[in-house]
Every structure is written in structure tokens, then in C-alpha cells.
Amino acid sequence: MRDTLWTRNFTLITCATGLGAVGGIASSFALSFLVFDETGSTLASALLIAMQFLPSSLLPLAVSPWMDRLPRKPFLVVGDAVNGLCYLLAGLYLRHYPFSYVGYLAFSLLLACLTSMDELAYKSLYPKLLTEGKEEKGYTISSMLYPVLKVVMMPVSALLFETMGVSNILLMQAGLSLSAALLESRIRVHEERRGEGTRFSPRVWLSDLREAARYLKGEPGLLNLFVYMGMTNGVAAGYGPLLVAFFRTMPGMTTAMYSLFSVAEFAGRTLGGLVRYRSIMQPKRRFAFLFGVYQAYELMDISLLWLPYPLMLLNRAACGFLGINSAAIRQAAVQRYLPDRLRARVSALESVLFAAAVAVLSLAVGALGEIMDLRVCLSLCAAATLLVCWLTVFRSREHIRRVLAYKAQE
């Protein structure tokens, strides 16, 4: 195996992911403001987020046993291709018909199904495309890619939203998704059938899921990490409509100012990514670093909307710097720790946990935003997440230390 991260496969998967992200950022930006402009409700926006994550509570469980037995690349390619066709149809629809909130709920549900399968295939295949010993660098690149593109695309998205219209943005996303599928089809990876025998029945499917559940139940380090990450991601998903409403309704705030949040986070993530790419943290220091980052992140969210705007930007920059470092360390450690034969199924259970948290918590945060001050709402939710961090990550610190230091024990 070549002693470099940038192999043919890694370059192709990175380029394909980048193409999908460019269109996804633009379309998500446009649709989030379109929904709020049409409904004027944070709860309506939060309901969309909850609906989008609903399939993640079902589909991963249905397909992960097959994905652990069959080649994973076709799932990835077909998912992006169908995703592109859906955006094509949606863009053509908006060119000729007015926006329908109910119709968009159905469209979001369909896209969520495709995204759920695509993400599971990506998480299961990605570790096989990394050079041994370069996993942390690979996940650093993966964690940097989206924010780097977001800082470029968010100001562009604001301009496109005002000039091109939502329908043309969706058509652009369709072309980019189809291009991503084409690149992914050129990945060369050897994937053998896993599991005994060639027949697959409902009984085998259920047995496979039970095996993964038993494994995760016996790994409190992984389980508590997943619980906390589900909580913090679920609550953070609910922040989106709150921030849109805050910058849309607060005197002195504008859409352009909201888009600059991404610039600040990008600056922090870029600097943090460079630090992480060029250095390796000793296993014994990883837990203390991750736990400290999680504390800092929640405290930053508690104070975010109470700060003057320049300090808000500094707040997001600090979160970006810390977040990419913790994400790269955690993702690389977890994927090293997971057995390949269980990777899709355990990732599916993780996805289900995250989806349930996002569906419930984003809706709860959006509902709270309807009845209380937006700043108070965000601060209370972040404080609750901080408490969960102590009850999960800190409480299971010895088990999590073992997960983070696993490579040193091989």
C-alpha cells in the first residue's frame, strides 16, 4: 500500500463529496429562507428538520445488514444519482408551480431516505479508502471539506438566492449530484462478500442486527459517546431555525451577517485543520482534550446570542478551531475501534440514535423558540447539553479512553 493519503480512491471520494456539498449548501441555504419567508414560523422550519431526519431512524436498520454483507460502493453511487434526479424534478417543479409547504415536506422525506442510505454507505466505505496510519489525517480532510466549501458558498448562496431563484439553485444541485455519482463509480476497491453463506433471510437480518446491538451494549465507551453526540447534534439542529429567525427579526441584523458566521467558523476550522493535519496527539491526552472541547463548545453556545456581533464571530471561530480537532480524533478512533464486519450495522445504530435525537430535539427547540426569547431558548438548550456531557462522556471516561487509545494497544 502506498505511504500517502492522496491515493486515487481518496482523491475521487474527496472530489465527489465536495461536489455534493457545494450544491447542498446552496440549496439548503435557499430553502431554509424560502420556508421561513413563506411560513414566518420557526416551528414550521423545525418540523422540516424533524421530517428530514425521520428516515434515519428506520432505513439504516433495514439496509445495514445487507451493506455489511454486500459491496458498499454501489449503494453510494446509486444514492447520489437518484438524489440528483430528485433535485432536477424539484427544480423544474418550482419553475412552473408555486411553493407548497406540504409538497416540500414530502420532497424532504424522499431526499432524507436517499441521504440516509448514502451516508451509511459513505461511513462504511470511507475507512477502506484510507491508507493505514493516515486515518486521522483523512478524517481531518473530511471534516475540513464541508466548512471550507461552506465559507465559499454561503455568501455566494445569498447572492444566488436573490438573483437566480430557488428553482435554478436546485437544478444546479442536480448536476453536481450526478457528477459526484460519476466520480464515485470510478473508485477501485476490492470488497468481498461478508458473512457465511449466500442466502439472506429475515431471520438472518434480525440476527445480524442483534449481533450489532449486543456489541454496542458491551461497549459503554462507544455507547456514551454516541448518546452525547446525538444530544449535541440534535439540539444544534434546532439552533438553525432560531438563528434564521434571530437574524431575520432582530434590528440591525441581516442575512449577510448570518452568512458571515460561516466565514468565522471557516477561519477557525482551517487553522484547526492545519494544526491537526500536521500533528498527532498522544493517546493518553485524547480524552482530556475531547472532554475539554465539549465543555467549551456548550459554553460558547450558551453565550452566543448575548454577545456583540464581532464577538459572535470570534465565538464561531473558536468553535470551528476546537470542533475540527475533536471530530478528527473521535472519528478516526471510533472507526479504528469498530470491526469491519460490524461497521455498517453499528453505524446504522449510531445513525438511528442521532436521527431520533435530531427529530425530537430540533422540534422541541423550535417549539421553545415560539414561546420564549430566542437568546434565552438557545442558552437553556446549550446548558442542558452541557449537563448531558457530564452524565455520559465524563461518567464513562475510562471506557472512552480505551476507545481513543485503541491503536496504541494493537
Side-chain angles (χ1 to χ4, degrees):
M1 183 177 291
R2 296 171 59 192
D3 187 26
T4 177
L5 173 65
W6 291 95
T7 61
R8 169 193 169 91
N9 285 342
F10 182 77
T11 301
L12 286 172
I13 193 66
T14 302
C15 291
T17 304
L19 287 176
V22 165
I25 292 165
S27 60
S28 295
F29 181 94
L31 289 170
S32 65
F33 279 94
L34 176 63
V35 170
F36 183 76
D37 287 345
E38 292 286 341
T39 64
S41 170
T42 60
L43 180 58
S45 299
L47 181 59
L48 269 173
I49 295 174
M51 285 287 293
Q52 289 170 354
F53 280 88
L54 183 61
S56 297
S57 64
L58 299 174
L59 277 181
L61 294 180
V63 302
S64 60
W66 277 272
M67 206 173 285
D68 266 341
R69 289 173 174 267
L70 300 173
R72 293 153 180 166
K73 173 184 163 182
F75 287 93
L76 191 63
V77 175
V78 173
D80 277 334
V82 177
N83 183 280
L85 293 176
C86 289
Y87 273 109
L88 175 63
L89 294 175
L92 293 175
Y93 174 88
L94 286 180
R95 279 196 166 196
H96 301 286
Y97 301 96
F99 174 81
S100 167
Y101 180 74
V102 175
Y104 184 56
L105 282 177
F107 173 69
S108 298
L109 188 61
L110 174 60
L111 284 181
C113 292
L114 296 171
T115 300
S116 177
M117 294 180 61
D118 185 73
E119 288 180 352
L120 184 59
Y122 177 87
K123 290 173 68 175
S124 302
L125 182 64
Y126 191 74
K128 297 181 72 65
L129 307 181
L130 299 177
T131 304
E132 185 177 353
K134 307 291 184 181
E135 297 91 350
E136 198 167 298
K137 291 182 182 293
Y139 280 102
T140 298
I141 295 296
S142 177
S143 299
M144 285 183 65
L145 186 62
Y146 183 82
V148 167
L149 293 173
K150 190 173 183 180
V151 73
V152 175
M153 288 304 301
M154 283 292 275
V156 174
S157 298
L159 177 63
L160 295 179
F161 178 63
E162 300 293 339
T163 58
M164 288 180 57
V166 178
S167 62
N168 288 327
I169 293 176
L170 296 184
L171 293 176
M172 179 187 70
Q173 165 69 346
L176 292 173
S177 292
L178 292 172
S179 298
L182 180 61
L183 287 178
E184 290 162 351
S185 69
R186 300 183 62 196
I187 291 174
R188 298 170 183 170
V189 58
H190 179 64
E191 295 187 273
E192 297 179 350
R193 291 184 64 94
R194 294 164 291 275
E196 298 179 358
T198 58
R199 298 186 61 184
F200 195 82
S201 66
R203 179 176 295 180
V204 174
W205 171 82
L206 184 59
S207 175
D208 282 356
L209 286 181
R210 285 174 175 171
E211 181 187 10
R214 286 194 300 269
Y215 171 82
L216 190 56
K217 183 178 179 181
E219 293 289 345
L222 289 176
L223 184 59
N224 280 280
L225 266 178
F226 291 170
V227 169
Y228 168 68
M229 295 307 299
M231 173 71 178
T232 190
N233 279 278
V235 172
Y239 294 161
L242 296 186
L243 292 175
V244 169
F246 181 82
F247 279 89
R248 205 65 164 172
T249 60
M250 182 64 65
M253 298 296 178
T254 66
T255 301
M257 292 173 71
Y258 172 67
S259 69
L260 288 178
F261 265 31
S262 299
V263 178
E265 188 172 353
F266 160 78
R269 280 184 173 266
T270 300
L271 180 59
L274 292 173
V275 171
R276 179 55 35 222
Y277 190 82
R278 292 181 171 273
S279 62
I280 298 177
M281 184 173 293
Q282 295 181 359
K284 64 181 181 181
R285 298 178 54 194
R286 290 173 184 165
F287 176 80
F289 178 77
L290 258 64
F291 185 69
V293 168
Y294 297 155
Q295 301 300 290
Y297 228 103
E298 307 305 342
L299 292 173
M300 291 285 188
D301 284 343
I302 288 173
S303 63
L304 177 61
L305 296 185
W306 302 96
L307 299 172
Y309 182 70
L311 292 183
M312 287 185 186
L313 297 179
L314 183 61
N315 180 303
R316 293 300 91 184
C319 287
F321 179 88
L322 296 172
I324 192 170
N325 278 275
S326 63
I329 293 171
R330 175 180 53 81
Q331 290 172 352
V334 168
Q335 292 303 323
R336 280 195 303 261
Y337 194 79
L338 288 176
D340 183 61
R341 65 182 181 84
L342 291 169
R343 184 167 284 122
R345 282 169 285 167
V346 174
S347 295
L349 294 175
E350 179 189 11
S351 297
V352 167
L353 178 62
F354 280 24
V358 170
V360 174
L361 295 174
S362 63
L363 195 58
V365 173
L368 287 175
E370 294 280 309
I371 62 176
M372 66 171 58
D373 181 87
L374 296 172
R375 293 171 296 183
V376 173
C377 179
L378 195 150
S379 296
L380 287 177
C381 292
T385 309
L386 180 63
L387 177 61
V388 171
C389 182
W390 280 85
L391 295 176
T392 55
V393 176
F394 185 76
R395 185 178 180 182
S396 188
R397 55 192 178 278
E398 294 304 322
H399 298 287
I400 294 175
R401 281 195 179 100
R402 187 173 69 246
V403 172
L404 297 176
Y406 180 71
K407 186 177 182 180
Q409 298 173 358
E410 290 181 331

